[in-house]
Amino acid sequence: MINKPKILVLLAAYNGEQYIKEQLDSILAQTNVQVSILISLDKSLDKTPDIINEYTSKHSNIQDLGNTTRFGSAGRNFIELIIKSDISKYDYISFSDQDDIWLAEKLSKAVDTIKLKKIDAYSSNVTAFWDDGKEKLIIKDYSQVKYDYLFESAGPGCTFVFTKTLFSEIQSHLLSKKADFKDFGVHDWYCYSFARHNNFKWYISSDSLMRYRQHSTNVTGANIGLKGFKSRLKQLWTGSYFFKVKQQALFIGQSEKPIILLKSKDRMAMLRLAAIAHQCTRNPFNKIMFILVCCLMFIKGNKL
């Protein structure tokens, strides 16, 4: 008898009554793996607690952390899951949102890839979909570059699958930084950045093995089209994005060349940063945006 890989899925929930059943059912339907689900529910105002109670009473492989507090963000909720999860019985750990739909082979294919490529973490493209029937492939598997982890995630956290070794390191780091959680940003970007900074091997797959639901309450979402472009441009121009980059670098303890340049008050530092834009982001279009904004900040002065 073949032993199936044991995977712990960490699911952060908040006011998810409309879609969480479909998400949970698609996780339970995963093939060729043994799945357990640990749920952290941010204090909700709808029927999500009742739905979770229903599932935990029916399925022994689903547990609820039993939170009674309000975290206020998905990132902070995922921190709670990471630091409180007991991974001793599992081979791999995965993240899940509350409103997507996973294809049946999502986790098994990720595990097969991890084994084949001898890597520490996996992420992938996703297929965004809307209630009106629209669908769009969201490409995240552009070639990784030297410093991309300092500026962007490897894709949506709901595609992430970690080996126990890497996840243990992430868990230990967060436990050591509990006093600084107020400065914590986005959980998926943090995990990717921490892994790459510490020389763990991460692979971004071209496969799309989940349907990534888009709606008005998405925390981040697919971030595509004109609205997504305007949002990214605003963050770059106002400096809020580079501020987040520096904040996360401080949290992780990063001092790579781009971070040193961002911290410099010398205007020329922004031109030097523009010169290595090709090493700072994967998407070709984003590289152009990065260069333009660095040049504009050179003109107005780096006041970050």
Side-chain angles (χ1 to χ4, degrees):
M1 182 177 177
I2 299 175
N3 291 325
K4 295 179 180 179
K6 296 178 181 179
I7 304 179
L8 177 62
V9 177
L10 305 182
L11 191 157
Y14 171 67
N15 283 350
E17 65 177 2
Q18 191 171 0
Y19 305 116
I20 195 169
K21 285 186 177 183
E22 198 168 13
Q23 173 75 89
L24 287 169
D25 289 342
S26 73
I27 298 174
L28 292 171
Q30 292 296 294
T31 57
N32 298 317
V33 293
Q34 296 182 59
V35 171
S36 296
I37 306 172
L38 180 63
I39 302 172
S40 176
L41 176 63
D42 203 339
K43 192 173 183 180
S44 298
L45 303 175
D46 65 359
K47 296 180 181 178
T48 305
D50 297 331
I51 294 171
I52 291 174
N53 287 336
E54 174 191 339
Y55 272 78
T56 54
S57 65
K58 290 180 179 178
H59 302 277
S60 60
N61 59 337
I62 301 180
Q63 289 185 296
D64 176 16
L65 278 181
N67 294 320
T68 58
T69 57
R70 177 81 174 94
F71 298 122
S73 72
R76 185 62 186 84
N77 200 357
F78 270 107
I79 284 184
E80 195 74 5
L81 280 163
I82 293 170
I83 64 177
K84 290 189 176 180
S85 58
D86 179 1
I87 62 171
S88 58
K89 298 183 295 184
Y90 301 99
D91 305 305
Y92 303 94
I93 298 88
S94 176
F95 290 153
S96 173
D97 293 339
Q98 65 182 359
D99 48 11
D100 302 321
I101 303 171
W102 289 10
L103 303 189
E105 67 274 22
K106 177 184 184 292
L107 291 179
S108 62
K109 283 197 172 184
V111 169
D112 288 345
T113 302
I114 289 172
K115 290 179 178 179
L116 178 66
K117 294 186 176 294
K118 297 180 180 179
I119 55 175
D120 303 293
Y122 167 101
S123 59
S124 72
N125 295 338
V126 294
T127 300
F129 75 103
W130 289 258
D131 291 338
D132 62 3
K134 176 185 174 184
E135 292 190 0
K136 182 176 177 61
L137 177 66
I138 307 300
I139 298 174
K140 295 295 183 179
D141 69 321
Y142 297 104
S143 296
Q144 290 167 285
V145 292
K146 187 173 183 179
Y147 298 123
D148 71 312
Y149 61 93
L150 297 174
F151 297 93
E152 60 189 355
S153 178
C158 47
T159 69
F160 290 11
V161 179
F162 306 91
T163 61
K164 180 189 289 189
T165 300
L166 171 54
F167 190 84
S168 295
E169 290 294 321
I170 291 171
Q171 195 175 52
S172 295
H173 180 254
L174 286 176
L175 285 168
S176 73
K177 301 287 287 187
K178 290 182 74 172
D180 302 317
F181 282 169
K182 64 182 183 304
D183 298 325
F184 188 83
V186 185
H187 68 285
D188 44 12
W189 179 18
Y190 156 76
C191 288
Y192 178 57
S193 193
F194 176 87
R196 288 281 308 277
H197 173 70
N198 288 285
N199 298 315
F200 286 97
K201 296 179 181 178
W202 193 299
Y203 178 73
I204 307 175
S205 172
S206 61
D207 290 336
S208 175
L209 299 170
M210 60 169 284
R211 289 166 56 77
Y212 187 44
R213 193 185 302 272
Q214 303 298 299
H215 49 79
S216 60
T217 56
N218 279 108
V219 175
T220 303
N223 201 25
I224 59 176
L226 182 61
K227 184 177 180 181
F229 169 76
K230 288 181 177 179
S231 175
R232 290 193 299 272
L233 187 61
K234 181 180 179 181
Q235 288 189 57
L236 284 165
W237 176 243
T238 60
S240 63
Y241 169 68
F242 284 148
F243 175 78
K244 292 175 184 176
V245 169
K246 292 199 299 180
Q247 190 176 40
Q248 177 161 272
L250 179 64
F251 187 82
I252 296 175
Q254 296 164 328
S255 57
E256 288 88 329
K257 182 178 179 179
I259 301 302
I260 294 172
L261 292 172
L262 277 176
K263 289 180 177 179
S264 173
K265 297 302 180 182
D266 180 2
R267 281 188 171 190
M268 291 300 297
M270 297 311 297
L271 290 185
R272 296 188 187 100
L273 186 59
I276 59 170
H278 63 288
Q279 297 180 316
C280 296
T281 183
R282 301 186 303 274
N283 186 319
F285 178 72
N286 289 345
K287 293 179 194 290
I288 296 172
M289 284 183 59
F290 194 98
I291 292 170
L292 289 174
V293 170
C294 286
C295 291
L296 288 170
M297 292 187 72
F298 162 73
I299 294 171
K300 75 171 187 177
N302 181 8
K303 300 177 181 178
L304 298 179

